[in-house]
Amino acid sequence: MKNAAFIPALMLFTALRAQGYWQQEVNYKINVTLDDVKHELNADESIEYINNSPDQLTFLYFHLWPNAYKNNKTALGQQCLENGKMNFIYAKDEDRGYIDGLDFKVNGQPVKMEYCGDSIDICKLFLNEPLKPGGKIMITTPFHVKIPKGVYSRLGHIDQQYQITQWFPKPAVYAMNGWNQMPYLD
């Protein structure tokens, strides 16, 4: 019985390899400081993105999940409303969070960025040149995060106690089924 779980996992792995399984490679370098008086993070980020897919990419989706805490119009805000989580719905602006100060560059060149419709916690970076299969690019950006009060979800602070999750810009998963960009939820 010890091998009962191993056999299905091996079968799945074998099936995925037979279908040409691949996974993008994303390597991060983040320099960050915490201001524990203002409850803010100031950082700069470098991301090496390697396209292991068979597809040429002309854009990348990025998660900017601290923006989920910015207002009630985000998917997190709507989820809190549906779940009766009124402390978020009636939160003061100074208790909310967000990410800003973004200035994305790819290989040192500015790129166009736009938020995805009403989802301010997801953006789309338009590459100046297509990223071919096997190609790699270097994405850089400074950023600033206002850490929300720690009573709404996983990112937050209560005085100088911090729970820091999903705090930096990161590419959405690109897999065999395409882009998996999704808003931040509790």
Side-chain angles (χ1 to χ4, degrees):
M1 277 321 243
K2 289 182 182 178
N3 293 330
F6 175 75
I7 304 260
L10 180 62
M11 290 172 56
L12 175 62
F13 178 75
T14 303
L16 289 173
R17 285 185 53 97
Q19 295 175 11
Y21 176 79
W22 49 266
Q23 183 174 319
Q24 302 295 59
E25 183 175 339
V26 183
N27 302 303
Y28 298 90
K29 180 180 178 190
I30 304 173
N31 296 309
V32 62
T33 58
L34 167 66
D35 182 329
D36 65 353
V37 174
K38 293 181 181 178
H39 310 296
E40 297 176 345
L41 300 171
N42 290 292
D44 61 79
E45 174 179 50
S46 298
I47 303 168
E48 179 186 53
Y49 188 95
I50 301 170
N51 183 9
N52 290 323
S53 82
D55 305 320
Q56 181 169 280
L57 303 176
T58 57
F59 62 87
L60 304 174
Y61 283 105
F62 261 75
H63 293 300
L64 306 174
W65 283 341
N67 274 345
Y69 296 88
K70 194 168 187 174
N71 61 48
N72 293 337
K73 296 176 185 170
T74 66
L76 176 64
Q78 294 303 302
Q79 183 185 43
C80 288
L81 180 62
E82 290 168 11
N83 293 338
K85 206 169 187 181
M86 294 305 166
N87 63 343
F88 184 80
I89 301 305
Y90 294 111
K92 297 182 231 170
D93 284 344
E94 62 265 20
D95 292 337
R96 293 186 179 275
Y98 55 84
I99 187 169
D100 64 7
L102 298 162
D103 184 19
F104 285 104
K105 291 184 173 58
V106 173
N107 297 332
Q109 300 299 312
V111 290
K112 180 183 173 192
M113 178 199 99
E114 67 181 34
Y115 291 101
C116 296
D118 293 336
S119 296
I120 60 173
D121 56 348
I122 304 168
C123 75
K124 190 175 188 179
L125 293 187
F126 295 90
L127 303 177
N128 294 331
E129 297 176 19
L131 179 58
K132 295 179 178 167
K136 69 179 171 180
I137 55 176
M138 183 63 68
I139 305 162
T140 58
T141 188
F143 64 97
H144 163 259
V145 174
K146 163 71 170 67
I147 302 168
K149 193 170 181 180
V151 295
Y152 310 122
S153 187
R154 298 171 295 228
L155 173 65
H157 76 91
I158 297 175
D159 299 322
Q160 273 72 39
Q161 295 179 346
Y162 294 90
Q163 53 233 27
I164 305 295
T165 66
Q166 313 298 343
W167 57 278
F168 56 93
K170 59 184 168 186
V173 170
Y174 184 72
M176 293 175 77
N177 64 336
W179 284 104
N180 291 273
Q181 76 278 15
M182 60 193 81
Y184 179 88
L185 295 171
D186 191 21

